[in-house]
Amino acid sequence: NTKQQQATWQKAAWGYFTKNRHSITGLAGVTQDSPQLSMWTLGDNIAATIMAHQLELIDNAELDAQLSTIIGFLSTMKLFFGKLPNTLYNAETGEMVDYNNQPNETGWSAPDIGRLLTWLHIAKHLYPQFAEYIDKAVLRWNMCDVVKDGQLYSATKYWDDDAKKAHIKPFIEGRLGVEEYAALGFELWGFDTSKAALLEPHETEIILDIAIPYDARDPRTTETPSTVTSLPFIAMQLEHKTLPPYLQQLARSMYAVQ
């Protein structure tokens, strides 16, 4: 029946994390075959642990052990330029890596940090015994570089041949849906993300008689694809109690067209 089928799906989903945890960090990477760990993936680890406990797949002792492991990693992991979580880490070693999984500092991702902040906020309110330790871990980060004048900025590292040193190049990474979702995560921690939360600039495409907005920024000049995916809208509805009416409508339209 449906209840039994749901229980099977729940166990299978939690099984991914238990099977793919790495012994040193206790964390599962982005895929079964890759040890790379983004802050979005770290948010996945927290979400899976919390939901496994809420669904009674794990007991209090396992919840405490796993959340303690995650918070321990957050409290000790090296930061990009000493400022913010690096874009990627190696889940086997806990070290910062690049996209080839080689030791390196690469930058940070505002959307990924936004997702992580959402689940850290959920964790500390569901389990207040961890709140102090979560706050201390987040206070290590220099948010001045990722949130400016209501906008979210990711960053990458580039090498200046003239100065013979590395510099930080900020850019707006999120596109429609992802950017608004990330903004909600930062907002939970009291940051002004008013510009990142706006749909503008956007245009509209009619699909099956349903108006679907998409990001109007030209990917030929921004070098960032303007894709529209359902994931951030599903996550908004599942993870945030209240959404602005325009995001509620957009989420319903995304669901309807599928």
Side-chain angles (χ1 to χ4, degrees), residues 147 149-151 183 187 191-199 246:
V147 186
D149 300 322
Q151 184 63 64
E187 186 180 302
F191 293 99
D192 172 22
T193 57
S194 52
K195 288 185 180 178
L198 296 174
L199 295 184
Y246 69 93

Side-chain angles (χ1 to χ4, degrees), residues 40-250:
W40 189 289
T41 311
L42 189 54
D44 291 344
N45 276 261
I46 298 172
T49 302
I50 290 174
M51 294 314 302
H53 183 255
Q54 295 290 312
L55 294 168
E56 300 183 350
L57 299 176
I58 61 174
D59 58 19
N60 290 339
E62 187 170 353
L63 170 80
D64 289 347
Q66 191 59 19
L67 282 184
S68 295
T69 295
I70 294 170
I71 297 168
F73 175 74
L74 282 168
S75 301
T76 58
M77 67 184 187
K78 295 179 181 178
L79 302 176
F80 172 77
F81 278 28
K83 292 175 176 286
L84 288 158
N86 196 50
T87 307
L88 291 173
Y89 291 79
N90 186 317
E92 292 178 343
T93 65
E95 294 299 313
M96 293 187 288
V97 295
D98 58 24
Y99 290 98
N100 295 316
N101 207 38
Q102 297 302 306
N104 202 356
E105 292 180 280
T106 57
W108 69 76
S109 169
D112 289 7
I113 293 173
R115 174 165 175 75
L116 176 59
L117 287 173
T118 290
W119 278 100
L120 287 173
H121 188 270
I122 292 171
K124 75 174 191 174
H125 282 82
L126 284 177
Y127 308 107
Q129 66 269 33
F130 291 102
E132 178 184 354
Y133 306 103
I134 291 172
D135 287 343
K136 286 181 177 178
V138 174
L139 284 171
R140 297 176 63 217
W141 308 346
N142 184 348
M143 294 296 198
C144 296
D145 290 310
V146 70
V147 186
K148 293 181 181 179
D149 300 322
Q151 184 63 64
L152 296 178
Y153 292 91
S154 297
T156 187
K157 182 180 71 173
Y158 75 95
W159 182 258
D160 187 332
D161 286 328
D162 294 331
K164 303 299 181 185
K165 59 188 279 189
H167 292 279
I168 298 173
K169 180 181 179 181
F171 66 97
I172 298 175
E173 178 184 2
R175 289 299 179 259
L176 193 144
V178 173
E179 192 168 22
E180 289 76 15
Y181 169 70
L184 291 170
F186 282 90
E187 186 180 302
L188 291 172
W189 290 77
F191 293 99
D192 172 22
T193 57
S194 52
K195 288 185 180 178
L198 296 174
L199 295 184
E200 289 76 13
H202 78 275
E203 296 180 6
T204 301
E205 184 75 21
I206 303 300
I207 304 175
L208 301 177
D209 296 325
I210 299 172
I212 299 294
Y214 66 92
D215 201 293
R217 285 168 281 197
D218 191 341
R220 294 171 295 183
T221 57
T222 63
E223 298 182 357
T224 301
S226 297
T227 56
V228 179
T229 65
S230 58
L231 177 58
F233 301 104
I234 294 171
M236 287 178 198
Q237 299 281 61
L238 292 176
E239 299 168 10
H240 294 272
K241 288 184 178 179
T242 57
L243 292 176
Y246 69 93
L247 286 181
Q248 292 181 23
Q249 180 56 50
L250 183 49

